[in-house]
Amino acid sequence: MSMSDDNPYDFLADEHSDDHRWAYGTGFTDPLAGVDTSVPDGVDAYGLASYCVSLGDDALIYSHRLQEWVTRLPELEEETAVANIALDLLGQARMLLGRAGAVLGRSEDQLAFFRSESQFHNVRLVERHDDDFAELVGRLLVFATWRLALFERLTSFSDPVLAAIATKGVAELTYHRDYAAQWVVRLGDGTELSHQRMQAALDAVWAFVDELFRAHPGELVTIARGEVDVVLDTVLATAGLDRPDVPPLALIGGRAGRDGVHTEALGYVLAEMQSVARAHPDATW
Amino acid sequence: MVTRTGTAWDVAAATPDPELPMVTVGDLGILRSLDEQDGRLVVTITPTYSGCPAMREIAGDVEYRLRAAGFAEVEIRTQLAPAWTSDWITADGRRKLLLAGIAPPAPAPRRAGPVPLTLGRAPAATCPRCGSVRTSRRAAFSATACKALHTCDACLEPFESVKAI
């Protein structure tokens, strides 16, 4: 056996030297390295950073919940789909937290791993654990439809970095929404059992929808609920499903996810996601 | 005339993509610009997808190759706008993908107004093996972020395509 057969990294690389190998996971660099992150005149830097944290937290927490599905999905095609969607959202989270961190003087890792529950500003929709595949695609439909509408609006935002992150995100979210919509239709318009379970999944998710459209002083752009509803209604009508009529999840003292008030589920996500970074705060790959 | 930056461009552009090693970063349109500033090479690359794990490896590899070619001072910058589109894959890149059994992307969608929802069948890709257009998309996602999975109804072989974005 030759040396190159012994070392899979050497075998994969077409030039062999110690400091030049193709292997992922060897380290992370700032996803915005070399990007001009100065804040334009007329844009409130702290407001921009806070908003980027909110949008980054939505993607980070939801990506984590989607990652929990990997190796547990029914088919290989769904494995690759959900893993890719989670990866896209993690990439969006990294850039958004990186954008915020450039203003706040904190790294993406400090923001992701060293904040506690009340310092996260994600909407409560992204916190829960999916009970079944119908809940996965039901929540993804709501999340991707809402986020796509928001990101379309952000493509013309006055901060060019956030606008560029949104423009990239639009192409990705379009795929996420189509994936979810096609599964909601397939299950809703499938067998009696799949229809029942898809309807039950939507009923479970819908209590979190109102919060997405709740006016919040930190929002830098707003979208009309009608823009999102028209897409959701099209999918539900095609699937033969009813739009759930459930009361929205209550606010706590008038506050919700964007204010740092969360459901119990977020604590479990953070405990798992942050434990290694907190146990070894100075560790590097 | 062979210029210093021209040589550097050729060296950088020849870096293979880690996930699609049959094509280079030049073929993919990831390499956006290369300038010499005060004796230092400033190389600008753009990510394909937000979470693409290959970006860091590409940046490291481009820098390594330029240093190996004698350029001592190299800085790699990321450029987010304009966003990468599969339309930037060169004719040569498309030919190499096809030869490797990966269908090159169709023209990227150009839209005005809201992104339309797609509930029906995806447009058929051309089979890179037999050339048939009788193909079905099996999944909008595949082994990497940039590809989708299809099967050919004529030759019955599975194949991947690069997504049009």
Side-chain angles (χ1 to χ4, degrees), chain A residues 64-86:
Chain A
H64 194 87
R65 282 301 190 194
L66 290 172
Q67 290 165 44
E68 290 177 346
W69 273 100
V70 176
T71 73
R72 293 175 170 84
L73 285 150
E75 291 177 331
L76 189 59
E77 285 80 358
E78 296 356 290
E79 287 284 345
T80 54
V82 173
N84 271 303
I85 293 168

Side-chain angles (χ1 to χ4, degrees), chain A residues 43-112:
Chain A
V43 175
D44 166 32
Y46 187 75
L48 172 69
S50 302
Y51 191 54
C52 287
V53 166
S54 297
L55 295 176
D57 287 350
D58 290 340
L60 179 65
I61 302 303
Y62 193 30
S63 174
H64 194 87
R65 282 301 190 194
L66 290 172
Q67 290 165 44
E68 290 177 346
W69 273 100
V70 176
T71 73
R72 293 175 170 84
L73 285 150
E75 291 177 331
L76 189 59
E77 285 80 358
E78 296 356 290
E79 287 284 345
T80 54
V82 173
N84 271 303
I85 293 168
L87 181 63
D88 285 343
L89 291 174
L90 187 62
Q92 292 176 16
R94 291 191 61 200
M95 290 201 286
L96 287 161
L97 294 182
R99 206 295 162 255
V103 173
L104 302 171
R106 303 183 72 184
S107 72
E108 50 167 331
D109 279 0
Q110 286 171 329
L111 289 171

